[in-house]
Amino acid sequence: MTALKLENVNKSFGSVHVLKDINLTVEDGEFTVFVGPSGCGKSTLLRVIAGLEDASSGTVTIGGDVVNAVPPAKRGIAMVFQSYALYPHLTVKGNMGLGLKQEGQPKAVIDERVSKAAKMLDLEKYIDRRPSELSGGQRQRVAIGRAIVREPKLFLFDEPLSNLDASLRMNTRIEIAELHRTLSASMIYVTHDQIEAMTLADKIVVLRDGRIEQVGSPMELYNNPANRFVAGFLGAPSMNFLERSVLGLPEGETIGIRPEHLALSDKGQIAGKVTHVERLGGDTNLLVTTDAGETLTVRVFGQDPTEVGAKVQLAFDPANAFYFNAAQERIFDKAA
Amino acid sequence: MNKVRSATRTTIAAHAVLITYTLIALFPVFVIVINSFKDRRAIFRDPLGLPNEETFSLIGYETVLKQGDFFLYFQNSMIVTVVSLTLILLFGAMAAFALAEYRFKGNRLMGLYLALGIMIPIRIGTVAILEMMVSTGLVNTLTALILVYTAQGLPLAVFILSEFMKGVSDDLKNAGRIDGLSEYKIFFRLVLPLVRPAMATVAVFNMIPIWNDLWFPLILAPAEEVKTLTLGSQVFIGQFVTDWNAVLSALSMAILPVMVLYVIFSRQLIRGITSGAVK
Ligand SMILES: Nc1ncnc2c1ncn2[C@@H]1O[C@H](COP(=O)(O)OP(=O)(O)OP(=O)(O)O)[C@@H](O)[C@H]1O
Ligand SMILES: [Mg+2]
């Protein structure tokens, strides 16, 4: 069964067309991530799925039922917000149980589900505290717990980790991945952090300007981007795009080479000068300005002694390069 | 070290300014209260002196209380003020929520229309209001006063509260919707507690003018059984003779209930500010 199906969904705010003809299927138990730059419509799409905004046209189907006219509480979804959005006047227990109470579940069921979720999220000690007495990470776990207890058909996460600091973000990311494994629930996760997208997703949906650019597994998108936007969006540091520095490239075409596919060599295809060095310990990023005046990033594994100002030659395997035409679409038959 | 010292100096300076201001503001009140405990001659001979054994007198309070209807006036003022404030806060907050939360045609225009009353003093419409009250038979009722004060307070209340409500996190309201709370519950349980400081501000701003108003009670409800305190106290102020003892005592007593209300609202104000909200 499909957890979610969107068919020709459009959304306009007045004259602003925010979502343009979105078609998407999310299978049962799938972890789907929406990525895209700020303002591309990720949150709006999530809110349309949740029922917090009505779609201007198109159908939204959750678990086999068309839900266009169903209020958010009856769609079988639960949502976790970026700002946690905990009820300030309720305790952790009250926050997690409110949805069930509104559904009219008996108290025994509520207590059981809340304590199960609290145990899963390591929140048992804080069960009687109010949100203002919790740390940011704990609040976000309460927000996740509030979603879990409702046992929804579909979980929606809107940038749940962006208010947490780096180390907490990694831990919570792992917790969410584990949660997905234990619950084997369908989840949709919005982020603009491509590491979260790559590590969590079964399926990534790349959005730009309210349109879906490409859908696929993280490795599919990484190895086989459909256009320059997707190629540049996934992977860190991001792909280098060159127009002039490589000989023999037709006018208007762009070559894309990932930083890890470039190597320092005595006799490479590209010549340039190092302008900046970032030593991360595990690997070293070199910023190089080519003789043709373009800037690119080279990722060298391990610790590299190259200094700023050094003249370097860069080599790459043409099989690893991507070619894009003037319309920024990928040229597929060009490689090798 | 230097920084600490200059910080203390700023604190002292700030407190000095605040204390001076407080003294100036409280001085008239202080004079009224001490003189209300003195006999008539002492009031005029030594207006700033504290009451002593010789000059102490409760004659003013006795006159006021013997006047009999004083408690009724008191009660009338209290009813008018409390009911008007309740209505202003309730309807003002509801209108503000609708304007801040929902997208509908004419939202902007509606907001502007509701705010227009801030700029137009309601007293300009006194004659029309009186005519309306006469034809609806509301003259000489507390209802007339309550309606007028509610109308007078609403524009500013809607304006201030809708600005504050726009600041309440959308995520919180949406979380409530996903949990199945009705719009009423979202309004009363989630939004209102978060705008409590603004509600308290609106309440304080409206309370004093309503309590002190002489104009509308005089015009709309001058009958004995619906007189408010301010209007009632006027009997002691005559064209030729004024019973200063009684006037000062009545004023002193009139301060009390406003002070009680103020303490209640300001506590709400502080609690609202300190309750950690969304993040
Ligand atoms: N209520 C609204 N009225 C008008 N325009 C809106 C409204 N909500 C969103 N938009 C517009 O829709 C576009 C998409 O907004 P959305 O919040 O979905 O972006 P996003 O992809 O979630 O961005 P971010 O990563 O910054 O959260 C933006 O250009 C925004 O200005
Ligand atoms: Mg967003």
Side-chain angles (χ1 to χ4, degrees):
Chain A
M1 201 179 65
T2 54
L4 170 76
K5 196 164 181 177
L6 300 175
E7 289 166 290
N8 305 99
V9 169
N10 282 282
K11 174 72 192 170
S12 304
F13 292 108
S15 59
V16 192
H17 201 174
V18 177
L19 296 178
K20 297 158 190 161
D21 205 27
I22 303 283
N23 285 287
L24 182 70
T25 316
V26 173
E27 300 299 335
D28 240 358
E30 206 170 38
F31 199 117
T32 304
V33 173
F34 294 171
V35 286
S38 190
C40 69
K42 305 179 296 287
S43 301
T44 308
L45 183 55
L46 208 63
R47 288 151 54 82
V48 168
I49 297 170
L52 297 168
E53 301 277 1
D54 291 324
S56 305
S57 68
T59 48
V60 181
T61 314
I62 295 176
D65 305 314
V66 175
V67 293
N68 279 40
V70 179
K74 301 221 161 71
R75 289 192 175 197
I77 51 124
M79 191 156 169
V80 178
F81 296 88
Q82 179 178 1
S83 62
Y84 321 141
L86 299 178
Y87 309 121
H89 63 295
L90 294 177
T91 61
V92 168
K93 198 172 167 183
N95 264 283
M96 295 212 263
L98 186 68
L100 296 176
K101 205 167 133 199
Q102 288 301 123
E103 272 174 27
Q105 297 278 5
K107 202 170 171 301
V109 175
I110 300 178
D111 284 346
E112 188 209 311
R113 289 208 210 161
V114 167
S115 55
K116 203 171 113 196
K119 201 165 163 197
M120 205 186 294
L121 294 164
D122 214 8
L123 283 170
E124 286 157 305
K125 267 184 283 176
Y126 313 108
I127 202 84
D128 289 317
R129 293 212 196 161
R130 280 174 201 275
S132 53
E133 299 158 343
L134 296 175
S135 73
Q138 289 160 348
R139 287 181 208 180
Q140 193 52 283
R141 290 215 295 280
V142 176
I144 294 172
R146 184 168 66 181
I148 293 175
V149 296
R150 303 196 51 201
E151 302 183 354
K153 288 185 256 181
L154 184 62
F155 282 89
L156 305 173
F157 294 89
D158 193 354
E159 308 201 25
L161 307 186
S162 55
N163 280 338
L164 304 180
D165 64 50
S167 68
L168 203 53
R169 196 178 298 180
M170 170 145 176
N171 290 340
T172 317
R173 196 169 76 214
I174 294 168
E175 272 181 49
I176 290 178
E178 274 169 9
L179 201 69
H180 178 237
R181 270 195 294 276
T182 17
L183 300 176
S184 57
S186 323
M187 296 185 174
I188 296 180
Y189 187 103
V190 166
T191 179
H192 53 234
D193 180 326
Q194 56 104 17
I195 295 180
E196 280 173 31
M198 298 297 273
T199 53
L200 287 170
D202 295 322
K203 177 149 102 187
I204 295 182
V205 177
V206 183
L207 290 155
R208 175 168 61 159
D209 279 344
R211 263 182 232 288
I212 293 183
E213 290 285 321
Q214 195 175 0
V215 179
S217 74
M219 288 310 122
E220 266 167 43
L221 297 195
Y222 187 81
N223 295 327
N224 232 336
N227 55 39
R228 183 175 160 171
F229 176 77
V230 176
F233 199 79
L234 296 178
S238 57
M239 190 184 277
N240 299 300
F241 297 102
L242 303 172
E243 286 172 11
R244 300 188 301 272
S245 305
V246 177
L247 289 177
L249 201 63
E251 182 72 23
E253 282 187 21
T254 309
I255 184 170
I257 312 166
R258 294 206 181 271
E260 56 267 40
H261 293 147
L262 283 165
L264 295 172
S265 110
D266 297 336
K267 220 171 130 323
Q269 297 99 312
I270 307 167
K273 206 170 118 184
V274 177
T275 54
H276 184 69
V277 181
E278 287 181 332
R279 296 180 204 285
L280 304 173
D283 42 43
T284 310
N285 293 334
L286 307 175
L287 250 71
V288 176
T289 305
T290 66
D291 292 348
E294 290 173 310
T295 304
L296 49 76
T297 316
V298 184
R299 183 167 169 205
V300 185
F301 293 97
Q303 301 177 359
D304 192 272
T306 312
E307 292 293 341
V308 172
K311 294 259 187 205
V312 290
Q313 301 267 328
L314 302 171
F316 65 91
D317 180 353
N320 287 331
F322 302 94
Y323 296 88
F324 303 97
N325 64 19
Q328 311 214 334
E329 298 296 327
R330 173 98 175 272
I331 307 170
F332 281 95
D333 49 4
K334 181 107 179 188
Chain B
M1 194 62 211
N2 229 345
K3 225 175 195 173
V4 175
R5 199 181 299 159
S6 80
T8 349
R9 211 177 293 155
T10 348
T11 321
I12 291 174
H15 277 81
V17 171
L18 289 175
I19 288 170
T20 316
Y21 177 76
T22 313
L23 287 181
I24 294 172
L26 284 182
F27 186 72
V29 180
F30 174 73
V31 171
I32 289 175
V33 173
I34 55 167
N35 281 310
S36 72
F37 288 105
K38 294 198 288 202
D39 60 28
R40 192 178 164 81
R41 235 170 343 135
I43 293 176
F44 284 103
R45 198 182 308 143
D46 182 14
L48 295 185
L50 289 173
N52 54 28
E53 285 138 62
E54 225 177 289
T55 57
F56 181 81
S57 146
L58 284 176
I59 179 78
Y61 289 94
E62 277 165 28
T63 323
V64 170
L65 295 183
K66 237 183 268 159
Q67 198 70 26
D69 288 338
F70 193 77
F71 281 109
L72 181 70
Y73 302 161
F74 216 92
Q75 195 187 331
N76 288 340
S77 272
M78 212 55 187
I79 290 174
V80 168
T81 309
V82 170
V83 175
S84 304
L85 279 186
T86 313
L87 293 180
I88 290 171
L89 290 179
L90 180 70
F91 292 135
M94 284 175 135
F97 184 70
L99 289 177
E101 182 62 17
Y102 304 121
R103 285 192 296 268
F104 54 88
K105 264 216 177 98
N107 180 320
R108 278 272 183 81
L109 217 64
M110 191 66 143
L112 206 66
Y113 170 71
L114 286 177
L116 217 59
I118 299 172
M119 290 157 261
I120 303 170
I122 194 169
R123 289 179 190 191
I124 284 181
T126 303
V127 174
I129 290 174
L130 183 60
E131 275 174 0
M132 270 196 301
M133 293 300 173
V134 168
S135 52
T136 42
L138 286 176
V139 172
N140 282 330
T141 61
L142 294 181
T143 318
L145 292 178
I146 290 170
L147 287 176
V148 169
Y149 291 141
T150 306
Q152 172 186 298
L154 272 177
L156 196 63
V158 172
F159 186 72
I160 293 179
L161 291 176
S162 69
E163 285 309 309
F164 271 79
M165 283 184 186
K166 278 176 197 153
V168 174
S169 142
D170 279 337
D171 284 356
L172 187 67
K173 291 173 269 189
N174 285 335
R177 292 193 179 110
I178 287 179
D179 274 342
L181 296 183
S182 66
E183 293 296 312
Y184 283 100
K185 274 193 185 151
I186 289 173
F187 171 69
F188 282 112
R189 295 239 195 105
L190 298 183
V191 177
L192 277 197
L194 290 179
V195 298
R196 206 151 47 184
M199 301 274 277
T201 312
V202 170
V204 170
F205 266 120
N206 278 300
M207 178 176 72
I208 315 289
I210 294 177
W211 183 267
N212 287 342
D213 191 33
L214 181 59
W215 181 267
F216 284 113
L218 191 62
I219 292 166
L220 297 179
E224 190 57 28
E225 68 281 3
V226 289
K227 263 189 193 160
T228 60
L229 193 56
T230 324
L231 184 56
S233 308
Q234 301 304 310
V235 297
F236 304 117
I237 301 178
Q239 196 174 357
F240 305 108
V241 219
T242 295
D243 185 346
W244 285 110
N245 293 85
V247 171
L248 293 176
S249 307
L251 287 178
S252 300
M253 291 206 286
I255 294 169
L256 284 176
V258 201
M259 240 160 70
V260 171
L261 285 179
Y262 182 80
V263 168
I264 293 172
F265 290 134
S266 64
R267 187 170 297 166
Q268 290 296 319
L269 223 153
I270 289 158
R271 202 188 298 165
I273 291 166
T274 51
S275 78
V278 183
K279 280 199 186 164

